[in-house]
Amino acid sequence: MVLRMIVGLVLTVAALAVAGRRVWWLRRLAFSGQPAPERLAFAREHPGTDAEAQLTEVVGQRKLLQWTVPGMAHAATFWGFIVLVLTIIEVYGSLFQRTFSIPGIGQWAAIGFIEDLFAVGVLCGIVTFTIIRIRNNPHKEGRRSRFFGSHTRAAWVVLSMISAVIITLLVYRGAQENTGVFPYEGDGAWPFASWLVGKALHPLGYGVNSVLEVVFILANLAVIMAFLVIVVYSKHLHIGLAPLNIMFSRRPNALGPLEPMRSNGKVLDFEEADPDTDVFGIGKIEDMTWKGLLDLGTCTECGRCQSKCPAWATDKPLSPKQIILDLRDHAFAKAPYLLATEEGREHLPADVLAEAGRPLVGTLEENGVIDPEALWACTNCGACVNECPVDIEHIDHINGMRRHQVLVESAFPTEATGMLNNLERRGNPWGMAEDRRADWITELDFEVPVLDGRIPDDVEYLYWVGCAGALEDRAKKATKAIAELLHVAGVKFAVLGPAEACTGDPARRLGNEFVFQMLAQQNVETLNEAGVGAGTGKKVIASCPHCFNTISREYPQLGGDYEVIHHTQLLARLVEEGKLTPVNPVDEKITYHDPCFLGRHNKVYTPPRQIIDAVPGTRAEEMHRCKGNGFCCGAGGARMWLEERTGTRINNNRIDEALALNPDTVSTACPYCMVMLGDAVNAKKASGEAKESLEVIDVAQLLVRSVRLREERGEETKA
Ligand code: SF4
Ligand code: SF4
């Protein structure tokens, strides 16, 4: 007994010392980042939100279970380890008393059964993971494997360690059955797995079983301690960090608005910013906040984000997983430099100093950590954030680096220069004259009031048309359809016309926070002067999901607070209330493309589908990648104004999926998507891959073709 006690305790103390040292080092590394007081404040002020997130994301394994087979395997392993804490207590107890049982519950047959059930569950999980990893072998599957780029060797070591924990556990429990010290012996077969192992070991006799009992108790303890050390030195850090990362992540998630630009824990004021002391985006790894660095340590390398990334799917160098792993590897390699004093840095080894000197964003020749081509390939579609089971905030990190590249280095794709200049000069990305914003109104056969001052009392809605909706020919058709439907339904609305400017979304997503703030402040002023702020009873209709997202969720960062509704939400409601009655049949097969900034970022999935379903004669068919699993059109993240030089085109990939359903119409609810998908369809028509009659239209255009008034007038649609 004394020997087993000494060996067990020495093992434990040694492992805890090694692991504890590493944990302290990790803590110091995390806090070498920028402060993030807003995260601490939110967690403090919303304990209920955090408790809910812990219950659903950590305990409930919500996101993991969206992938049924790997999700079940992970849940079985995770829940198994929670239950098996009981067996760890038993192991430690048995170091001091051979017949130890947990006081109170330690002899209940049900506890023995549950322990064995979860031990077997963990083994089943490990077998499933093994099969998944063999089938998704990155060496054979290449980029198609979600494990491509992950540290697979470490994963195999951990799978072996977990198996060893369970095997040693079952062997010592089986031996305990035979030596008569098993706490659950009264009910024989309830701890069924231990009982079966005990049956197999029984012929070896009492003496051998006594030896097996002590050897495997110590082996179990040794494996658990070794596992603890491996966890804190490997990607399995997520076991400890995931609950923390989820606790401090943005709520409800890191989709929708971008974070305001912060420096030293405060929102950056460009007018008072000091280039010597302020931080402009992420230019060095230590410019990330501690929460950003926590993200890096938490990544499980599961590759779910990578498998859904449209840039990765079209052979671009961007993988959201690889961005996180490259930043993490760099942070760890630079850590001795970050944690050293000024004096101490002079004596660091050459490889650490070389790592510290690497540009965060730079080409292979420049020895950069992140390839600029990967950085600029992101469409901000949100698929990675949506998928990540540990709530990593990829878009914030990507846009943080973009901000630094644009504002400090002036290093961004040259083709964006024109768009940024146009935004500054004319308030729209095409540089068209401001008064052209009202041209579409002259093409209607009814009046649309253009505001000149405050919105009248009897007008409920301000229709925010957006740059594309006002100036781009295809998007203008949707704008006219929306206006016509509102007019038919008797909805009183007005527009801003030339007083409207770009919301600033393309500038912000490109990283030019300065231009964004300039446009956003101007628009907030205009909207406030128009008297449409929240609480006034007035609402803003946005037909562009990017405008919708920016005005409703980003303008509050600048003091603008508005009730914003997307046109599909309003139109679906008008149909439901009988104010719009689609009666003319549209005998077409229609597939709907979810715009990322309407669907994934803002969770508006149902209204556009309700509109399609309300039109008689339509046959709606979903693409495989739809709703939360939708696939980007390629325009977000300011990609609309950038060349797509590498890999295949994202819009073509999306249209290929639509064409597989042989639809008559591809419908959507975003002017960006209309343009991107329209271009892809035109290219497919030119190559003979799509039928000439195939259209890409907004759901409003579909609805306007079917409403009663139009039939009564006997007019052809202009939309
Ligand atoms: S936001 Fe979309 S494009 Fe950007 S990294 Fe994530 S999945 Fe890829
Ligand atoms: S970032 Fe999230 S989804 Fe991507 S590999 Fe890491 S843990 Fe998995």
Side-chain angles (χ1 to χ4, degrees), residues 298-306 320-321 324 384 387-390 392 394:
T298 310
C299 177
T300 70
E301 306 189 20
C302 68
R304 283 169 164 79
C305 55
Q306 178 173 289
K321 175 183 77 179
I324 298 298
C384 48
E387 283 302 321
C388 182
V390 290
I392 287 172
H394 314 71

Side-chain angles (χ1 to χ4, degrees), residues 65-203:
L65 285 167
Q66 283 168 359
W67 292 39
T68 314
V69 176
M72 299 271 290
H74 193 276
T77 312
F78 173 78
W79 292 331
F81 267 89
I82 292 181
V83 171
L84 293 180
V85 168
L86 291 176
T87 66
I88 296 175
I89 296 171
E90 287 170 348
V91 161
Y92 274 102
S94 71
L95 293 182
F96 301 94
Q97 182 189 358
R98 198 175 168 199
T99 55
F100 175 83
S101 61
I102 299 172
I105 58 168
Q107 292 176 345
W108 294 357
I111 297 287
F113 169 74
I114 290 169
E115 287 174 347
D116 272 26
L117 183 68
F118 279 92
V120 172
V122 172
L123 273 185
C124 292
I126 297 305
V127 171
T128 311
F129 284 137
T130 305
I131 296 168
I132 289 171
R133 283 192 172 269
I134 290 171
R135 289 179 57 178
N136 280 285
N137 183 349
H139 301 297
K140 284 198 193 134
E141 299 289 313
R143 284 175 66 106
R144 279 185 306 157
S145 165
R146 66 184 167 98
F147 300 118
F148 187 90
S150 300
H151 299 97
T152 48
R153 199 171 300 166
W156 285 117
V157 170
V158 167
L159 288 185
S160 316
M161 297 294 294
I162 297 174
S163 309
V165 171
I166 303 301
I167 291 165
T168 52
L169 172 88
L170 291 178
V171 173
Y172 86 70
R173 282 162 74 95
Q176 280 182 328
E177 289 246 13
N178 296 326
T179 56
V181 298
F182 191 47
Y184 310 101
E185 68 171 341
D187 251 311
W190 273 97
F192 60 97
S194 309
W195 179 79
L196 279 174
V197 176
K199 284 271 165 245
L201 298 179
H202 191 262

Side-chain angles (χ1 to χ4, degrees), residues 185-389:
E185 68 171 341
D187 251 311
W190 273 97
F192 60 97
S194 309
W195 179 79
L196 279 174
V197 176
K199 284 271 165 245
L201 298 179
H202 191 262
L204 299 176
Y206 180 86
V208 174
N209 272 287
S210 296
V211 174
L212 287 176
E213 177 197 324
V214 69
V215 167
F216 277 84
I217 280 178
L218 291 176
N220 181 255
L221 212 145
V223 176
I224 291 170
M225 288 300 120
F227 186 53
L228 175 70
V229 172
I230 287 176
V231 160
V232 295
Y233 276 90
S234 73
K235 75 166 187 116
H236 278 76
L237 253 182
H238 78 265
I239 293 171
L241 295 188
L244 273 183
N245 205 49
I246 288 170
M247 179 190 297
F248 295 116
S249 62
R250 284 167 62 188
R251 292 282 154 238
N253 52 43
L255 295 168
L258 274 185
E259 288 254 83
M261 209 163 141
R262 291 194 173 89
S263 168
N264 302 313
K266 292 197 208 98
V267 174
L268 188 72
D269 179 342
F270 278 99
E271 281 175 18
E272 296 189 354
D274 181 344
D276 294 328
T277 54
D278 276 309
V279 172
F280 294 82
I282 303 172
K284 306 186 289 295
I285 196 75
E286 60 268 36
D287 292 342
M288 295 184 87
T289 64
W290 59 259
K291 170 61 178 67
L293 294 170
L294 185 62
D295 267 6
L296 307 185
T298 310
C299 177
T300 70
E301 306 189 20
C302 68
R304 283 169 164 79
C305 55
Q306 178 173 289
S307 71
K308 301 286 176 178
C309 174
W312 182 257
T314 51
D315 294 332
K316 313 226 174 356
L318 168 62
S319 151
K321 175 183 77 179
Q322 206 57 54
I323 293 259
I324 298 298
L325 297 190
D326 287 346
L327 290 174
R328 178 170 78 190
D329 291 347
H330 174 62
F332 282 174
K334 192 177 174 182
Y337 179 88
L338 296 174
L339 301 179
T341 58
E342 281 296 329
E343 250 178 39
R345 284 178 179 172
E346 289 168 19
H347 308 293
L348 287 170
D351 59 334
V352 175
L353 292 174
E355 189 69 36
R358 289 178 74 191
L360 196 66
V361 177
T363 59
L364 202 59
E365 294 72 40
E366 293 162 344
N367 195 23
V369 177
I370 301 295
D371 178 357
E373 232 196 291
L375 186 70
W376 297 109
C378 177
T379 67
N380 280 205
C381 73
C384 48
V385 177
N386 194 51
E387 283 302 321
C388 182

Side-chain angles (χ1 to χ4, degrees), residues 440 463 465 468-470 474-484 543:
W440 62 275
Y463 177 14
V465 181
R474 282 170 285 188
K476 266 162 71 176
K477 291 181 182 174
T479 305
K480 286 186 283 179
I482 294 163
E484 178 133 17
S543 49

Side-chain angles (χ1 to χ4, degrees), residues 143-144 306-320 373 377-379 625 631-634 639 644-656:
R143 284 175 66 106
R144 279 185 306 157
Q306 178 173 289
S307 71
K308 301 286 176 178
C309 174
W312 182 257
T314 51
D315 294 332
K316 313 226 174 356
L318 168 62
S319 151
E373 232 196 291
C378 177
T379 67
R625 295 176 294 188
F631 192 79
C632 184
C633 73
R639 290 286 327 163
E644 202 173 335
R645 297 188 185 89
T646 313
T648 54
R649 292 188 63 83
I650 293 175
N651 57 350
N652 285 348
N653 185 302
R654 184 51 161 169
I655 280 301
D656 282 341

